[in-house]
Amino acid sequence: DTGVSQNPRHKITKRGQNVTFRCDPISEHNRLYWYRQTLGQGPEFLTYFQNEAQLEKSRLLSDRFSAERPKGSFSTLEIQRTEQGDSAMYLCASSLGGGRITEAFFGQGTRLTVV
Amino acid sequence: GQQVMQIPQYQHVQEGEDFTTYCNSSTTLSNIQWYKQRPGGHPVFLIQLVKSGEVKKQKRLTFQFGEAKKNSSLHITATQTTDVGTYFCAGGSSYGGATNKLIFGTGTLLAVQP
């Protein structure tokens, strides 16, 4: 399967714990995005990378959230000291980008439940 | 910040009826994309519109991009049960001459009764 892969698919954690999610984009895609989606809402932009550089991070994102994309390949999203409000589906997408954005391919997502 | 709204939030139709969802942005967009998300699934790309006033068709689906590049619409003719899902528009946000991220709309959930 050459699509976007996310792991784990589901994560249940206790409030206050740290969690880390992984995203493997389509191999030739230089852009990688993280979105968060709650029930009945559209995907909310969190951050994006062009190659290994994190070019933008949502102002809505607290300092507890950090993302990396070492070597411009896979990416990780870490949430420290999780809160119940962090419960959501975390979606990763990748695309080819230079100037204008192109089609974004989404992974299946990681569903986080904070108890 | 930039906001993208869609109406209606929910639409229930009888199979064979038409359906339209409207997308409005608070700012001018460089481009607009449309995605479909089935229940329990992830967003899947349908189409991208770039030019002011552009109209594109995919079988029973017709997509339009407004003249001012601030609104868009998706029209489905003669809906089928396979059309069920949430339809999102996503506006391209420009910075430094490049479109860097997609801002998703609030979505329209379509239910089709056989």
Side-chain angles (χ1 to χ4, degrees):
Chain A
D1 186 354
T2 56
V4 178
S5 177
Q6 290 188 247
N7 287 288
R9 293 289 306 277
H10 303 274
K11 178 70 176 179
I12 300 174
T13 190
K14 291 184 178 179
R15 188 173 50 187
Q17 297 293 306
N18 299 342
V19 294
T20 299
F21 310 140
R22 176 177 170 126
C23 172
D24 288 272
I26 294 173
S27 59
E28 63 267 27
H29 285 182
N30 58 339
R31 286 191 176 176
L32 186 147
Y33 307 85
W34 285 99
Y35 285 85
R36 176 171 63 189
Q37 187 176 27
T38 53
L39 193 63
Q41 302 295 316
E44 175 191 10
F45 172 77
L46 296 180
T47 189
Y48 95 98
F49 294 83
Q50 178 137 331
N51 300 311
E52 68 277 8
Q54 186 176 17
L55 297 187
E56 191 169 348
K57 184 176 176 180
S58 170
R59 283 172 284 181
L60 300 174
L61 217 57
S62 77
D63 292 341
R64 297 184 297 105
F65 288 72
S66 62
E68 294 183 340
R69 193 185 182 195
K71 303 178 182 178
S73 55
F74 71 93
S75 176
T76 58
L77 176 69
E78 181 183 16
I79 308 175
Q80 296 181 327
R81 304 181 303 281
T82 51
E83 302 172 356
Q84 286 189 322
D86 297 331
S87 296
M89 176 73 83
Y90 289 83
L91 294 165
C92 174
S94 70
S95 72
L96 283 171
R100 183 176 292 123
I101 195 170
T102 59
E103 172 184 356
F105 292 81
F106 280 83
Q108 301 274 28
T110 295
R111 181 169 296 284
L112 173 66
T113 302
V114 182
V115 298
Chain B
Q2 181 182 13
Q3 291 187 319
V4 180
M5 305 297 293
Q6 282 182 253
I7 55 170
Q9 283 187 306
Y10 172 76
Q11 183 82 55
H12 178 227
V13 299
Q14 295 284 335
E15 190 172 21
E17 292 182 336
D18 293 355
F19 160 76
T20 304
T21 173
Y22 300 91
C23 174
N24 290 283
S25 170
S26 58
T27 60
T28 301
L29 301 169
S30 59
N31 63 313
I32 192 103
Q33 295 183 359
W34 284 90
Y35 289 79
K36 178 182 178 181
Q37 186 172 24
R38 292 183 183 275
H42 57 279
V44 176
F45 176 83
L46 294 176
I47 207 161
Q48 174 169 274
L49 304 169
V50 176
K51 299 177 182 177
S52 170
E54 188 172 13
V55 177
K56 286 188 176 180
K57 292 190 177 184
Q58 284 181 350
K59 297 183 180 178
R60 295 178 295 104
L61 277 61
T62 302
F63 304 84
Q64 292 188 323
F65 199 9
E67 294 290 340
K69 301 183 79 172
K70 293 182 73 174
N71 56 67
S72 181
S73 65
L74 158 60
H75 179 81
I76 302 178
T77 303
T79 54
Q80 300 174 359
T81 55
T82 53
D83 295 327
V84 164
T86 301
Y87 292 85
F88 292 102
C89 63
S93 171
S94 293
Y95 179 79
T99 301
N100 299 316
K101 65 177 184 269
L102 292 171
I103 302 299
F104 278 78
T106 46
T108 297
L109 173 59
L110 172 64
V112 179
Q113 184 168 350

